[in-house]
């Protein structure tokens, strides 16, 4: 019997988020049922709620949320890794084919059979609903492989954004070997960017923040940047020409990439993690070939690396800087996020669902 579950959903690209009831499946043999305590608000939630990604059309009703933390309330008979009462988390994926090369390497987000089931807006393999429903809800049921453990050392609400913003920056930082002796740039001080600054600094890289907001300079330094550059200031940008090993770009809108490409050393990489509605203008081919520079992309991170990142954050005492909100403020939070007016991640206190 499916379980009726309180949630917040919207019914179309222009419709606001509002109280709704969704169904969750009864936990199966390998499933974990989780009471959601907190859920972070990612810019991808907004892109999806408003149907901004033509490559990934939104199925309505849409229940976003993929920075989920909570407590285990029930487990299936075959579950080995989690038990009732454990502090757990779910990020951007809830299933994949588990058999292909990428899945076997723990890179389930790149499943070679396109079998990744994302936490929201993917076809629901259990047919409980037309699409998967995310964390703006009181509970979720997930295969244990996709359920992470969260150390008691981490504040649960502030740890929620690690599940997307944290891993989305940790994974490329590790892949492109950010660390001592490397100069790393993070573009945009939003939810992803502020985790990028904290993580690059913790990994020992010389960390430079690029921001369009002069009001964020002090915060950038407090969060771990050795230097902050106002990206609209050509003279400040020029001072860093040919000096970066790696620049990770988190910006959520299309913009000119060339000024950042020029800052890469020979063999440097500009890694795009921001996923804007419209494509960036084509970058300069000459800028790439004159210094063997590359432009790459990176998507979240696999399950083993997500657990590694959570353990790294527990060891280093890293969480997100958050503004805790009741779910009734989600529409206002989206508008503020569009104005870059959040320090630096909204997290929903899921207790508030009981008030709607
Ligand atoms: P966010 O909190 O809104 O942050 C985006 C930041 O971009 C802003 O804080 C702002 O920083 C900067 N920015 C905004 N408008 C700008 C403009 N017109 N020109 C230049 N910079 C601008 O968003 P987020 O949650 O971090 O997500 C960022 C993007 O990453 C979204 O597109 C999201 O969908 C995507 N994403 C991708 C993955 C992945 O796996 N690759 C995972 C999660 C999210 P400043 O004020 O400092 O300039
Ligand atoms: Zn996200
Ligand atoms: Zn696979």
């Amino acid at each position: 019997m499916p379980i009726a579950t309180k949630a917040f959903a919207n019914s179309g690209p222009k419709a606001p988020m509002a109280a709704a009831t969704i169904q969750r499946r009864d936990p199966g043999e390998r499933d974990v049922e989780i009471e959601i305590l907190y859920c972070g608000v990612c810019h991808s939630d907004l892109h999806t709620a408003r149907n901004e990604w033509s490559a990934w059309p939104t199925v309505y009703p849409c229940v976003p949320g993929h920075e989920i933390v909570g407590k285990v309330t029930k487990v299936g008979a075959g579950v080995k890794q989690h038990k009732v009462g454990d502090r757990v988390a779910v990020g951007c994926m809830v299933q994949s084919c588990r058999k292909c090369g990428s899945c076997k390497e723990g890179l389930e987000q790149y499943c070679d059979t396109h079998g990744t089931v994302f936490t929201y807006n993917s076809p629901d393999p259990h047919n409980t609903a037309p699409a998967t429903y995310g964390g703006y809800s009181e509970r979720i049921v997930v295969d244990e492989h996709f359920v992470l453990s969260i150390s008691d050392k981490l504040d649960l609400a502030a740890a929620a954004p690690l599940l997307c913003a944290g891993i989305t920056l940790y994974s490329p930082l590790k892949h492109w070997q950010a660390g001592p002796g490397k100069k790393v740039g993070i573009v945009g001080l939003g939810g992803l960017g502020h985790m990028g600054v904290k993580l690059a600094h913790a990994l020992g890289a010389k960390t430079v923040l690029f921001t369009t907001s002069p009001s964020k300079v002090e915060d950038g330094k407090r969060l771990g940047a050795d230097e902050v550059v106002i990206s609209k200031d050509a003279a400040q940008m020029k001072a860093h020409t040919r000096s970066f090993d790696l620049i990770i770009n988190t910006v959520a809108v299309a913009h000119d990439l060339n000024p950042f490409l020029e800052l890469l050393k020979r063999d440097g990489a500009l890694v795009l993690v921001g996923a804007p509605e419209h494509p960036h203008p084509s970058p300069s081919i000459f800028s790439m070939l004159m210094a063997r520079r590359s432009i790459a992309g990176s998507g979240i991170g696999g399950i083993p690396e997500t657990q590694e990142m959570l353990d790294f954050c527990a060891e280093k005492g890293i969480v997100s800087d958050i503004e805790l909100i009741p779910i009734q403020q989600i529409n206002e939070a989206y508008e503020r996020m569009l104005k870059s007016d959040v320090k630096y991640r909204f997290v929903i206190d899921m207790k508030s669902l009981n008030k709607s």
Side-chain angles (χ1 to χ4, degrees):
M1 273 284 285
I3 318 156
T5 297
K6 284 184 187 173
F8 255 54
N10 74 336
S11 55
K14 294 204 164 63
M17 287 284 152
T21 301
I22 57 167
Q23 303 297 322
R24 296 293 190 194
R25 67 179 182 272
D26 224 358
E29 175 85 5
R30 302 215 171 271
D31 282 339
V32 178
E33 182 192 85
I34 300 161
E35 177 195 356
I36 302 176
L37 298 175
Y38 302 101
C39 183
V41 179
C42 179
H43 207 116
S44 302
D45 298 358
L46 189 158
H47 290 307
T48 305
R50 298 187 178 178
N51 196 20
E52 288 178 351
W53 287 333
S54 54
W56 188 356
T58 304
V59 175
Y60 293 97
C62 167
V63 181
H66 57 202
E67 295 182 336
I68 298 167
V69 292
K71 281 217 160 100
V72 176
T73 45
K74 213 189 250 185
V75 291
V79 170
K80 298 195 177 72
Q81 298 167 41
H82 305 285
K83 57 180 194 315
V84 171
D86 283 358
R87 287 156 57 101
V88 291
V90 176
C92 305
M93 304 177 279
V94 290
Q95 195 49 276
S96 70
C97 91
R98 315 278 297 276
K99 295 186 185 112
C100 72
S102 293
C103 285
K104 283 194 171 145
E105 282 182 62
L107 294 167
E108 301 89 345
Q109 77 277 30
Y110 303 129
C111 177
D112 301 320
T113 67
H114 300 288
T116 312
V117 179
F118 292 94
T119 304
Y120 56 80
N121 203 37
S122 271
D124 177 5
H126 297 271
N127 294 317
T128 320
T132 51
Y133 293 143
Y136 298 4
S137 56
E138 62 179 330
R139 71 173 70 82
I140 191 165
V141 177
V142 179
D143 183 297
E144 70 166 329
H145 180 78
F146 291 85
V147 178
L148 292 309
S149 300
I150 290 219
S151 156
D152 290 343
K153 289 185 195 154
L154 292 174
D155 177 82
L156 213 47
L162 299 179
L163 276 299
C164 176
I167 185 61
T168 300
L169 273 293
Y170 184 83
S171 185
L173 285 167
K174 293 291 279 194
H175 184 77
W176 276 272
Q177 297 165 351
K182 295 283 177 74
K183 184 171 171 185
V184 173
I186 304 290
V187 187
L189 194 67
L192 267 57
H194 94 292
M195 290 313 307
V197 169
K198 289 185 185 209
L199 291 167
H201 173 75
L203 289 166
K206 180 173 164 66
T207 304
V208 178
L209 166 69
F210 295 95
T211 178
T212 57
S213 310
S215 62
K216 295 182 183 173
V217 173
E218 286 316 310
D219 273 354
K221 290 185 181 156
R222 174 179 61 80
L223 296 168
D226 296 291
E227 214 175 312
V228 180
V229 172
I230 304 296
S231 53
K232 289 174 176 161
D233 182 328
Q236 283 192 37
M237 291 290 277
K238 201 156 184 266
H240 291 270
T241 300
R242 266 188 190 254
S243 67
F244 282 88
D245 298 283
L246 170 66
I247 298 178
I248 304 181
N249 188 329
T250 76
V251 175
V253 294
H255 61 282
D256 184 7
L257 300 177
N258 290 322
F260 297 104
L261 264 181
E262 286 299 320
L263 305 190
L264 293 172
K265 274 182 189 164
R266 193 202 70 222
D267 294 329
L270 173 63
V271 178
L272 306 179
V273 295
E277 177 179 6
H278 304 292
H280 299 298
S282 178
S284 158
I285 308 296
F286 269 84
S287 181
M288 288 192 271
L289 64 82
M290 296 306 278
R292 204 162 55 187
R293 294 166 170 137
S294 49
I295 297 183
S298 184
I300 50 173
I303 293 299
E305 196 172 45
T306 304
Q307 190 62 60
E308 178 189 308
M309 178 273 312
L310 288 170
D311 297 344
F312 176 82
C313 288
E315 185 196 319
K316 302 273 182 189
I318 296 174
V319 285
S320 189
D321 284 28
I322 65 164
E323 285 191 42
L324 199 61
I325 56 164
I327 199 155
Q328 291 75 11
Q329 281 175 21
I330 186 65
N331 296 301
E332 192 189 328
Y334 281 175
E335 292 311 313
R336 283 187 52 201
M337 184 155 65
L338 283 173
K339 291 188 225 141
S340 301
D341 173 27
V342 46
K343 291 190 171 168
Y344 280 92
R345 194 60 138 187
F346 290 113
V347 172
I348 303 164
D349 184 347
M350 218 45 77
K351 280 199 301 288
S352 58
L353 255 184
N354 291 322
K355 295 188 193 126
S356 54

